[in-house]
Amino acid sequence: NEFSWNDIINNESRIPFSFSKKPSLNFGHIERPIWIKVPYSVIDDSLTYIMKLGFPALSDVQLKYQNQNGMWESKSGGRIYPHEKWEFGNRNIIFSLNNLKPNGDIYLRIKTSSGLLVSLNVFTESYFNQYDAILLSFEFTFVGLLLGMAIYNFFLWILIKDRAYIFYTCYIISILFYITSMSGIAYQYLWPKYVTWNLYSISVVITSAAIFATLFTINFLDAKGRSKKLKITKYIIFSLWAIVSLLFIPLSFGKYLQ
């Protein structure tokens, strides 16, 4: 918090950057922002380049670099911004790198409430569009399989009337929302304008997944409902999880994990 963009623009030497050869940076759970400097050399200035951050759940990402005219280009993205304010309508946090100088540095300021995991990749725009379309098709296929499992178990509950199936259905749906929230799909397609819900949604679905997994396990072990002990245990666990859920709803994902 002691540094600002003015330090980058006017007095970069004030920031103690350290060199890293790691393909990804894992800073764990920290409250303060991280500053990253990326040196570059443009191979072909006729191409448009895309920078992708490999963790869509980051809260606040700010990027700056100097263009060929010496002017600073500024871009931002992350979970604290409405999705329509992102530079691209993509589930990932990506930035276009236009009008780059032949050689220079790209600066990023990243702050998040969850684990700060950063993986930077730069592609040409044409390659990124092809690669991302293929990857998205695999992600939607996996989401479709989970949704099919949820629908299948829902109809089993309607036909058999065994509560274990409806609990399992709710568990699968919770996991489905968790995966789509972490991958950025939910924010892009389901609630792109609801920033507050996007910040807390992961905490809610993790808790709901734990509740329904517990209820499913207990009902599955006592399918015929003959064990009074299991029934009492079920009600106790359900009550405790309900209380925990209410307490954790106001917390963002990072605070939830802590």
Side-chain angles (χ1 to χ4, degrees):
N1 291 324
E2 60 181 300
F3 304 118
S4 67
W5 281 115
N6 286 330
D7 295 314
I8 290 291
I9 295 172
N10 300 315
N11 189 17
E12 180 198 320
S13 60
R14 183 168 179 263
I15 300 180
F17 288 106
S18 59
F19 183 74
S20 175
K21 292 184 177 181
K22 297 179 180 179
S24 61
L25 304 174
N26 189 349
F27 298 97
H29 295 274
I30 58 175
E31 295 293 331
R32 61 184 176 84
I34 292 295
W35 295 85
I36 298 175
K37 176 182 177 181
V38 184
Y40 71 86
S41 296
V42 176
I43 298 175
D44 187 346
D45 58 7
S46 66
L47 299 173
T48 300
Y49 297 94
I50 300 289
M51 175 176 281
K52 173 188 173 184
L53 281 79
F55 191 51
L58 295 172
S59 298
D60 183 11
V61 181
Q62 300 174 25
L63 177 145
K64 286 183 185 289
Y65 64 88
Q66 279 187 303
N67 60 25
Q68 293 181 1
N69 299 320
M71 302 296 292
W72 285 92
E73 299 277 352
S74 301
K75 304 173 187 289
S76 59
R79 295 168 65 85
I80 67 169
Y81 302 98
H83 203 276
E84 61 187 12
K85 300 290 186 181
W86 291 21
E87 184 178 6
F88 291 92
N90 193 285
R91 66 200 181 284
N92 298 295
I93 302 174
I94 59 176
F95 302 107
S96 62
L97 304 175
N98 300 318
N99 198 22
L100 289 169
K101 296 192 299 183
N103 298 280
D105 300 300
I106 299 169
Y107 299 93
L108 296 107
R109 179 187 183 274
I110 304 174
K111 186 175 182 180
T112 190
S113 58
S114 60
L116 211 169
L117 177 64
V118 181
S119 175
L120 298 174
N121 294 281
V122 177
F123 309 89
T124 62
E125 186 176 25
S126 59
Y127 179 80
F128 174 80
N129 291 333
Q130 296 174 6
Y131 151 84
D132 191 59
I134 296 172
L135 185 60
L136 183 61
S137 65
F138 281 109
E139 291 178 3
F140 271 121
T141 300
F142 183 66
V143 169
L145 290 172
L146 285 178
L147 185 60
M149 288 177 60
I151 294 172
Y152 173 74
N153 282 275
F154 177 74
F155 280 108
L156 284 178
W157 171 68
I158 292 177
L159 295 173
I160 302 175
K161 304 299 181 184
D162 187 338
R163 284 179 295 181
Y165 289 106
I166 191 62
F167 290 143
Y168 190 57
T169 299
C170 293
Y171 168 73
I172 294 174
I173 292 174
S174 298
I175 294 299
L176 181 61
F177 276 114
Y178 171 75
I179 292 172
T180 54
S181 295
M182 291 297 290
S183 66
I185 292 176
Y187 195 31
Q188 181 183 359
Y189 293 102
L190 300 181
W191 47 76
K193 296 182 180 180
Y194 299 98
V195 175
T196 302
W197 166 247
N198 188 51
L199 290 172
Y200 298 102
S201 60
I202 299 177
S203 304
V204 174
V205 297
I206 288 177
T207 305
S208 65
I211 291 173
F212 291 120
T214 303
L215 293 174
F216 165 74
T217 302
I218 294 174
N219 278 270
F220 181 78
L221 292 175
D222 186 33
K224 296 184 179 180
R226 293 176 178 175
S227 173
K228 291 184 178 180
K229 289 184 179 180
L230 280 177
K231 187 177 292 185
I232 294 172
T233 302
K234 175 178 70 176
Y235 289 133
I236 292 174
I237 293 176
F238 181 79
S239 300
L240 289 174
W241 271 117
I243 294 171
V244 169
S245 299
L246 292 174
L247 292 175
F248 281 138
I249 282 175
L251 299 181
S252 62
F253 181 46
K255 294 290 185 182
Y256 181 94
L257 292 179
Q258 292 177 8

